Amino acid sequence: MDQAAVPGRLDALWRIEGARIVAALARVTGDVGLAEDAAQDAVAEAMASWSRTGIPRNPGAWITAVAKRRAIDRWRRTELLQDRYQELARGAQDGAAPEWNPLPDDVLRLLFTACHPVLSTEAQIALTLRVVGSLRTDEIARLFLVPTATVQQRIVRARKTLAAARVPFEPPEPNEWTPRLRGVLHVIYLMFTEGYAATSGESWTRPDLAAEALRIGRILAGLVPRVPEAHALVALMEFSASRFAARTGPGGAPVLLADQDRTRWDRAQIERGRERLARADALSKELGRARGSYALQAAIAQCHATAVRADATDWPRIVLLYEALGRLSPGPVVELNRAVAVSMATGPEAALVVVNRLADEGVLRGSHLLPSVRAELLARLGRTGEARAEFSAAAALARNLREREVLERRAAGL
């Protein structure tokens, strides 16, 4: 076995199965922090063992089994083993009545546990993205546009808080879901966002992570059928996921939206997105509510998904939707996306004013997003030298290899 291949295989395995492994361990141990620690111990053991013996036929089961042994070792050290054995024995007694479980999916159960109201919203999301999304702290930091150290502190504090509050790994009763639902929806959204456009690494997309987010979102929407934003989030993910087949070319090279072969878009998935958004809108109307942020984003995605050609996109409507989104959920990324829509609807001059204001405010400092948009606008205005410099600056900030290559090619092409 090539020792150099083991880290890459382990990383891929963890990204695909990490959440399920931790969720299974948390169900057995009753402790999210202990489950993650035991799983990481097992991964470290696999790193050393597999380079000598080869990768087992079922690596996920191997890691889970080793992690369970590690958890038992930790129980033994804390003198809790006998208590846990008794709990497990009670649960395995013949003839015992099956336990009612309102959250039948282990990963969704883990989401609701980590989004416990004892934690702040920021801590909930950081911890859950780390445990459920298997994202590294630097990837989470880039999603939040904050320093990596800040995310690390949030995760450590969250785990300590859950332990101090003795929060069990148990599914909350349905009447306890509401205070956790906002965090759960946001985590699913961010998981899909990372899967749709990876913040780092050698692949532009992470379809496995996006598919897991969509799977969890569908289950959740079925559990809370009267929550419009749950259906709206699924609609947003369906519309966006419909483009996956067309988003990369040979060798994994990114294909930008305007250049995609729209015949490769999944029309069945687009139709599912339409149905979900219509259901969300009907529920909102019935409940006397306006569209929420996920519904507005889904409506934007629908505009793209239903345009037969790039030049047939209803950009004026997208501008209006971004204006509504900016009032509901203001933020620099929303404003930057609005600027892109304005540039397509009315021209680059007005959009450049918005982008320059964001640059002056410094709100996206350290992100490649702002200089890449500014570069496109400058190129369209014929300011080639400035555009080349902005593309180069964006490439230097991009952490995703494929995205960096696109930006470097744009700079060289000018």
Side-chain angles (χ1 to χ4, degrees):
M1 177 68 188
D2 182 5
Q3 294 185 11
V6 172
R9 294 289 297 276
L10 261 176
D11 182 64
L13 170 70
W14 185 254
R15 286 178 179 272
I16 295 170
E17 297 193 41
R20 289 188 177 92
I21 291 171
V22 173
L25 290 168
R27 175 163 41 82
V28 172
T29 64
D31 186 322
V32 175
L34 174 58
E36 189 185 9
D37 287 342
Q40 292 299 330
D41 288 347
V43 169
E45 186 170 330
M47 183 78 74
S49 176
W50 293 359
S51 61
R52 299 190 307 270
T53 64
I55 296 177
R57 181 174 299 178
N58 191 335
W62 189 99
I63 289 177
T64 303
V66 171
K68 286 181 179 177
R69 291 199 298 270
R70 294 287 190 174
I72 289 173
D73 290 341
R74 288 173 179 266
W75 286 336
R76 183 179 294 117
R77 286 196 297 270
T78 56
E79 298 181 352
L80 293 175
L81 181 59
Q82 190 59 40
D83 291 342
R84 292 301 299 172
Y85 274 155
Q86 291 174 357
E87 289 179 22
L88 292 174
R90 284 195 296 271
Q93 285 176 352
D94 292 340
E99 180 184 359
W100 179 69
N101 186 358
L103 294 172
D105 183 80
D106 273 351
V107 177
L108 188 56
R109 182 192 294 210
L110 183 59
L111 263 173
F112 269 90
T113 301
C115 289
H116 195 283
V118 74
L119 302 176
S120 68
T121 301
E122 293 82 4
Q124 290 176 10
I125 295 170
L127 176 65
T128 313
L129 288 174
R130 176 72 184 87
V131 177
V132 179
S134 301
L135 270 64
R136 301 192 309 270
T137 50
D138 60 317
E139 292 172 333
I140 300 170
R142 282 193 287 276
L143 284 172
F144 279 107
L145 303 175
V146 297
T148 300
T150 301
V151 173
Q152 290 173 332
Q153 291 169 3
R154 288 176 185 174
I155 293 171
V156 170
R157 191 179 304 117
R159 291 179 59 178
K160 289 182 177 178
T161 301
L162 288 177
R166 296 188 177 182
V167 174
F169 183 71
E170 296 177 353
E173 296 294 329
N175 60 5
E176 299 174 333
W177 289 359
T178 300
R180 309 186 191 205
L181 196 55
R182 180 184 177 190
V184 171
L185 288 170
H186 196 47
V187 167
I188 295 172
Y189 168 78
L190 290 176
M191 283 175 61
F192 185 88
T193 299
E194 176 64 18
Y196 184 79
T199 57
S200 62
E202 298 182 359
S203 299
W204 193 37
T205 62
R206 292 177 55 186
D208 55 312
L209 184 60
E212 178 69 354
L214 181 51
R215 183 188 73 84
I216 298 171
R218 288 170 176 162
I219 295 173
L220 179 60
L223 294 172
V224 289
R226 300 285 298 168
V227 177
E229 280 290 78
H231 295 289
L233 176 56
V234 174
L236 171 59
M237 294 189 288
E238 297 280 13
F239 284 132
S240 301
S242 70
R243 301 197 290 267
F244 263 115
R247 294 193 74 230
T248 53
V255 180
L256 302 181
L257 180 62
D259 302 323
Q260 288 173 17
D261 178 0
R262 299 186 178 217
T263 63
R264 299 185 66 197
W265 288 3
D266 188 332
R267 295 296 161 184
Q269 198 156 31
I270 291 172
E271 185 58 31
R272 289 198 295 272
R274 282 178 183 264
E275 292 172 357
R276 285 284 186 175
L277 183 56
R279 187 182 309 178
D281 285 342
L283 277 171
S284 293
K285 183 177 180 180
E286 181 182 338
L287 296 170
R289 301 175 187 171
R291 275 178 166 174
S293 63
Y294 298 128
L296 289 169
Q297 291 179 73
I300 293 167
Q302 184 177 31
C303 288
H304 291 297
T306 55
V308 294
R309 301 181 315 278
D311 60 5
T313 305
D314 190 350
W315 287 108
R317 175 167 174 74
I318 292 176
V319 170
L320 292 175
L321 289 167
Y322 269 122
E323 288 176 353
L325 182 61
R327 288 191 292 271
L328 186 64
S329 302
V333 175
V334 173
E335 189 68 356
L336 188 64
N337 286 332
R338 185 181 73 84
V340 173
V342 167
S343 76
M344 301 302 293
T346 61
E349 295 89 349
L352 189 59
V353 173
V354 177
V355 173
N356 286 341
R357 174 173 54 76
L358 290 172
D360 291 341
E361 293 172 356
V363 288
L364 289 171
R365 185 178 293 111
S367 170
H368 70 286
L369 296 175
L370 193 146
S372 64
V373 171
R374 191 167 189 271
E376 292 287 357
L377 298 176
L378 290 168
R380 288 176 59 189
L381 289 169
R383 295 162 62 175
T384 306
E386 294 173 87
R388 186 185 302 114
E390 290 292 323
F391 275 126
S392 297
L397 291 170
R399 299 298 183 93
N400 183 279
L401 176 63
R402 296 297 187 179
E403 198 160 22
R404 187 185 312 134
E405 290 172 348
V406 169
L407 294 167
E408 288 172 346
R409 283 197 298 271
R410 292 289 286 124
L414 291 174

